[in-house]
Amino acid sequence: MSLAVEISGLVKYYGKVRVLDGVDLEIPSGTVMGLLGPNGAGKTTTVRIVTTLLAPSSGSVHVAGIDVLKDPARARNRLGLSGQYAAIDANLTGFENLRMVARLYGMSHKAAADRADQLLEALGLQHAAGRRAGTYSGGMARRLDLAGALVCRPPVVVLDEPTTGLDPRGRLDMWRVIGELVDDGTTVLLTTQYLEEADLLADRITVIDRGRVIARGSADELKMSIGGDKLTVTLAAGQDPKPALTVLAGVGIGEPSHDDGTDQAVVVVADGTRTMVEALRRLDDAGVCVVDAAVHRPSLDDVFLSLTGKSAERKVPVPAPDPVQEEILS
Ligand SMILES: Nc1ncnc2c1ncn2[C@@H]1O[C@H](COP(=O)(O)OP(=O)(O)OP(=O)(O)O)[C@@H](O)[C@H]1O
Ligand SMILES: [Mg+2]
């Protein structure tokens, strides 16, 4: 298994504050790693170090076998970064933005224009190619920014919260684009605050909080570690719960529970939606009268609550970057 990204013992201090506290992370080539964490967890700090924009206090990062601290220029050739805030020129059209990036990579006029056209089409922006990027919606701007990161076909693409702030449509578009990248064999490091997003896109997830890795695994493993999906079935009032509990025991993991007060039976299940359909079919066969059924999928907040005993919804103020403390690698 070759590693596209290897992060080892990463520590970063801002002044006296240790914002990364020994992060280790390995991403096999051609896979998607979701770096999941709440505000201030250290996601952006990590991806800025990986993409050579920031020097760590200690630790090492290799991208495609290249030591990014020793050889940042060579590492940058293997990397595409789409940052948390889109970095595009609002006064240029979408086409001009991409052509400019391609020219900066040393492509000829013709090759740069061709690549710009290709990417605009791949990201579903051809209809807006001639429009000033300043008029783009948030989702379009993020996709244009991602297109910029893909100009030189980097084998490793880093996306910092690619869908934060997008509406559901914009999020779906972005997910489609990322899915296509992955199908092409690109290795992706993606930060997100949404378990749902990591669930959908990532092969493996690393959860960080306060600069520390607090859990890793596939989405299913993480959810199972905190009890998996919960299937709740509401029975008709006053009905004997026994037949329902027998059916639920057959589709779930462990013993179902029942609450007389609410007439609800609850069981932990592995694959929530599919199991719910199966459970409802069997309940119907058993003559059980079901009033309501719902699957509760664990959210990032559930994972956090379980892992740290506190909610992820902490508001951590993010100070403006202090240029004195930023060491840009050259
Ligand atoms: N330039 C800086 N100077 C001082 N502290 C900083 C600086 N940049 C980030 N921090 C602090 O480092 C910690 C980690 O920040 P980081 O931006 O990496 O978090 P994040 O996980 O990306 O959060 P978000 O989800 O809000 O983007 C935070 O406590 C933040 O306040
Ligand atoms: Mg961030």
Side-chain angles (χ1 to χ4, degrees), residues 210-230:
R210 300 175 185 222
R212 276 174 189 251
V213 174
I214 56 171
R216 10 176 146 242
S218 67
D220 282 344
E221 284 164 2
L222 283 178
K223 284 190 264 176
M224 290 313 290
S225 75
I226 67 159
D229 294 351
K230 281 198 178 68

Side-chain angles (χ1 to χ4, degrees), residues 8-316:
S8 172
L10 211 55
V11 172
K12 177 67 185 176
Y13 280 93
Y14 278 119
K16 289 206 171 88
V17 185
R18 197 171 159 101
V19 298
L20 290 186
D21 193 12
V23 171
D24 298 314
L25 194 66
E26 292 185 344
I27 314 179
S29 295
T31 69
V32 182
M33 171 63 79
L35 186 61
L36 188 66
N39 289 137
K43 302 182 295 296
T44 297
T45 305
T46 304
V47 303
R48 295 190 72 206
I49 292 172
V50 170
T51 54
T52 78
L53 296 174
L54 185 66
S57 305
S58 62
S60 70
V61 178
H62 289 81
V63 170
I66 301 162
D67 186 329
V68 303
L69 298 175
K70 295 206 177 109
D71 208 347
R74 213 150 70 84
R76 270 198 288 268
N77 281 330
R78 311 295 165 96
L79 283 163
L81 168 68
S82 178
Q84 191 164 2
Y85 306 100
I88 51 182
D89 189 328
N91 290 313
L92 299 181
T93 66
F95 173 79
E96 288 165 345
N97 262 286
L98 295 180
R99 187 182 53 185
M100 180 187 68
V101 175
R103 291 288 288 158
L104 289 174
Y105 277 111
M107 290 185 193
S108 71
H109 277 291
K110 168 92 174 66
D114 287 348
R115 185 71 181 134
D117 281 334
Q118 252 174 26
L119 285 165
L120 287 163
E121 186 173 348
L123 286 124
L125 290 169
Q126 62 278 55
H127 66 286
R131 239 210 284 151
R132 274 196 332 111
T135 67
Y136 281 18
S137 71
M140 292 164 73
R142 279 313 302 255
R143 275 182 284 145
L144 183 61
D145 185 62
L146 173 56
L150 303 180
V151 164
C152 69
R153 299 183 176 81
V156 179
V157 171
V158 178
L159 304 168
D160 196 5
E161 298 199 24
T163 65
T164 297
L166 300 192
D167 63 17
R169 177 64 210 270
R171 187 165 288 180
L172 281 177
D173 283 341
M174 186 55 99
W175 286 349
R176 175 184 56 78
V177 168
I178 296 170
E180 285 168 7
L181 259 185
V182 176
D183 290 342
D184 284 348
T186 306
T187 304
V188 177
L189 169 60
L190 157 108
T191 79
T192 181
Q193 303 188 31
Y194 312 115
L195 184 64
E196 177 200 9
E197 179 162 297
D199 194 351
L200 193 79
L201 298 174
D203 300 299
R204 315 280 306 161
I205 295 172
T206 301
V207 185
I208 64 168
D209 185 29
R210 300 175 185 222
R212 276 174 189 251
V213 174
I214 56 171
R216 10 176 146 242
S218 67
D220 282 344
E221 284 164 2
L222 283 178
K223 284 190 264 176
M224 290 313 290
S225 75
I226 67 159
D229 294 351
K230 281 198 178 68
L231 170 62
T232 302
V233 175
T234 308
L235 307 174
Q239 197 177 174
D240 176 12
K242 275 203 203 84
L245 291 173
T246 308
V247 169
L248 292 180
V251 296
I253 301 160
E255 280 299 301
S257 62
H258 177 258
D259 180 339
D260 281 333
T262 58
D263 289 306
Q264 284 185 333
V266 179
V267 69
V268 173
V269 294
D271 182 353
T273 320
R274 200 178 308 159
T275 308
M276 177 164 79
V277 173
E278 175 66 14
L280 289 176
R281 198 181 56 72
R282 292 198 201 178
L283 286 165
D284 192 44
D285 287 349
V288 175
C289 182
V290 173
V291 179
D292 193 19
V295 173
H296 173 74
R297 319 210 77 192
S299 64
L300 171 59
D301 215 41
D302 296 329
V303 174
F304 258 83
L305 261 172
S306 152
L307 289 169
T308 66
K310 61 185 186 301
S311 167
E313 297 293 320
R314 288 175 291 123
K315 294 281 175 281
V316 181

